[in-house]
Amino acid sequence: MQPERIPLIEFKNVSKHYDSHAAVSELNLTIYRGEFFVLVGGSGSGKSTTLRMINALTEPTDGNVYFNGRRIKDYDIRPLRHRIGYVLQQIALFPTMTVAQNIELMPDILGWGKAERKARINELLELVGLPPAQYRRRYPHELSGGEQQRVGILRAIAAKPDILLMDEPFSALDPLARASLQETVSLIHKKLGTTIVFVTHDMGEALKLACRIGVMQHGRLLQVATPQDIQNHPADDYVRSLFSAAQTNDNAASVIAAFTQLDETEKAEVRAALALGITRDA
Ligand SMILES: Nc1ncnc2c1ncn2[C@@H]1O[C@H](COP(=O)(O)OP(=O)(O)O)[C@@H](O)[C@H]1O
Ligand SMILES: [Mg+2]
């Protein structure tokens, strides 16, 4: 998909210091409307700090972040946050509220009518494969982890925000739920055209989801490129090393995928062969 090249978020010479430590250094980055932008990097590389400067949870020490051409610090924070969806790793659904009540929270705050809210809840639940008749009235504890995170995403996009920020949203899920949620968020991006900024430490996940990837290390942006360009022309050895790790994960995933395609006899043969190998090596 070719994103429209209208800037939505701009970082201009942005740094964030904690005492003498630089969490983010001299960041220059433009994220375009409709884009699925993925920030990838190791722990402590400055990804969350960068994300939190978009919704004004963190204020830059130097430089400015712009939202729709205007400095974030010149906005009223509450209405600004209403236009920004935010999803974190730990699911923060309200336990005493139903799925429907959780989803309609922001539309309700913004004064949407009841019929409009109900239509939105149904549309969103259907979009992510949770039949409304079955799920509207359930409570969070009656959902799997993956389903809870689906509802968390729906809550974040319910009031049609200008941008959706996601900070390692699938890191706590098992590999199957994670793959399924990746499909869901791709679908949301395609169907609703939401601008997404997604943080992950997993290059495989970045390659799968992104229009463009930004690689961070030690608070600096090392490279910004499409998944294809970044794979073909990694800026340095560090970026290259992130791919070899992703490659290994992909191989493991393709072995599992191939195995699940086998019939029971073939599976038994593979199991026997692997066990034999282990016996021989031991
Ligand atoms: N509130 C804070 N106070 C002090 N140091 C912080 C704070 N938030 C983040 N840092 C530091 O800034 C660096 C970047 O953190 P963060 O953006 O959370 O990284 P990431 O999300 O890539 O793991 C880390 O060294 C972290 O310890
Ligand atoms: Mg983080």
Side-chain angles (χ1 to χ4, degrees):
M1 162 184 306
Q2 194 61 43
E4 287 178 64
R5 305 294 271 182
I6 303 168
L8 181 60
I9 304 293
E10 294 162 281
F11 289 87
K12 296 190 181 172
N13 278 314
V14 171
S15 299
K16 176 65 187 180
H17 295 265
Y18 289 107
D19 301 322
S20 60
H21 174 80
V24 171
S25 293
E26 290 158 35
L27 180 63
N28 284 289
L29 171 67
T30 301
I31 295 163
Y32 297 97
R33 195 167 275 286
E35 187 169 35
F36 197 141
F37 192 90
V38 178
L39 270 176
V40 65
S43 174
S45 58
K47 307 180 299 293
S48 295
T49 304
T50 300
L51 202 67
R52 291 161 56 89
M53 288 193 281
I54 297 175
N55 60 1
L57 284 172
T58 297
E59 208 182 306
T61 316
D62 288 304
N64 276 296
V65 186
Y66 293 76
F67 183 84
N68 267 326
R70 191 172 151 207
R71 292 189 304 193
I72 297 259
K73 66 179 177 198
D74 293 336
Y75 280 88
D76 279 344
I77 277 205
R78 273 177 66 87
L80 174 76
R81 295 237 178 94
H82 290 166
R83 292 162 64 184
I84 302 178
Y86 191 37
V87 177
L88 299 161
Q89 178 181 323
Q90 64 279 16
I91 303 145
L93 296 178
F94 292 99
T96 57
M97 289 164 61
T98 63
V99 165
Q101 288 167 336
N102 268 285
I103 295 173
E104 71 181 351
L105 213 58
M106 188 54 69
D108 199 11
I109 288 170
L110 294 179
W112 293 27
K114 193 170 177 181
E116 202 184 355
R117 296 201 308 266
K118 188 172 179 193
R120 183 68 174 161
I121 292 163
N122 289 343
E123 171 200 14
L124 290 174
L125 284 172
E126 265 159 25
L127 179 70
V128 302
L130 300 174
Q134 225 172 305
Y135 282 89
R136 290 178 56 93
R137 282 177 203 79
R138 286 210 200 164
Y139 286 90
H141 75 270
E142 297 169 317
L143 305 174
S144 72
E147 288 170 343
Q148 287 182 32
Q149 195 58 307
R150 272 195 169 69
V151 174
I153 296 169
L154 296 187
R155 189 178 62 185
I157 61 169
K160 306 186 178 176
D162 292 335
I163 190 163
L164 175 62
L165 309 180
M166 308 185 83
D167 195 344
E168 312 232 13
F170 310 144
S171 301
L173 300 174
D174 65 73
L176 269 183
R178 186 177 181 141
S180 162
L181 263 293
Q182 288 167 349
E183 295 296 323
T184 299
V185 75
S186 269
L187 183 80
I188 285 171
H189 177 249
K190 276 198 200 88
K191 286 262 165 97
L192 306 182
T194 314
T195 308
I196 300 176
V197 185
F198 187 107
V199 162
T200 180
H201 60 264
D202 176 350
M203 183 57 103
E205 186 165 72
L207 291 171
K208 209 160 149 183
L209 297 174
C211 298
R212 284 189 310 151
I213 295 172
V215 182
M216 291 192 79
Q217 187 190 30
H218 305 321
R220 294 187 179 275
L221 196 57
L222 299 181
Q223 185 171 12
V224 177
T226 63
Q228 198 179 1
D229 282 350
I230 218 166
Q231 257 173 315
N232 294 340
H233 312 287
D236 63 14
D237 286 345
Y238 177 70
V239 179
R240 199 189 316 274
S241 74
L242 290 179
F243 284 115
S244 27
Q247 207 64 46
T248 316
N249 291 344
D250 268 6
N251 288 343
S254 63
V255 169
I256 293 167
F259 182 78
T260 53
Q261 302 294 316
L262 302 176
D263 67 30
E264 285 312 312
T265 318
E266 289 166 331
K267 279 183 186 166
E269 278 169 7
V270 171
R271 280 198 197 95
L274 290 174
L276 197 62
I278 291 162
T279 312
R280 233 191 252 142
D281 285 344

